Amino acid sequence: SDNDKRKRGLGIMEELLEWLEYIEDVHQTRKVRHKLKDILVLVLFATLANADDWVEIEMFGKEYRTICVNISN
């Protein structure tokens, strides 16, 4: 059913977000404007939404900023 598919999708998303925690961000903390995890989530979602380049990813990020940040936190 659609409800089962949605639950499976959410489970996969939660697992993916947990795995993103293991990626080490080697940047100097004081020079970082955005967390690496947030950037990766944004790029993933924008790509799934058919963003083809960095300009489209930026546009997606501005449009869905609140959603992306809430998901990655």
Side-chain angles (χ1 to χ4, degrees):
S1 76
D2 286 341
N3 196 27
D4 291 338
K5 288 179 185 177
R6 187 172 300 141
K7 285 181 183 178
R8 268 196 311 270
L10 289 174
I12 291 169
M13 182 60 65
E14 288 174 1
E15 187 175 338
L16 174 65
L17 292 172
E18 287 176 19
W19 275 102
L20 289 175
E21 293 292 333
Y22 292 102
I23 298 174
E24 184 179 354
D25 188 355
V26 296
H27 294 94
Q28 296 174 1
T29 305
R30 69 179 187 278
K31 294 183 179 180
V32 172
R33 184 182 294 178
H34 302 286
K35 295 180 200 174
L36 179 60
K37 180 181 174 185
D38 294 342
I39 295 169
L40 294 174
V41 167
L42 170 65
V43 170
L44 172 65
F45 287 170
T47 302
L48 291 173
N50 293 322
D52 292 325
D53 57 30
W54 290 111
V55 173
E56 290 181 358
I57 291 171
E58 179 185 13
M59 290 170 49
F60 179 91
K62 288 179 178 177
E63 184 71 27
Y64 295 100
R65 176 177 301 168
T66 303
I67 295 170
C68 290
V69 170
N70 286 339
I71 288 173
S72 70
N73 288 331

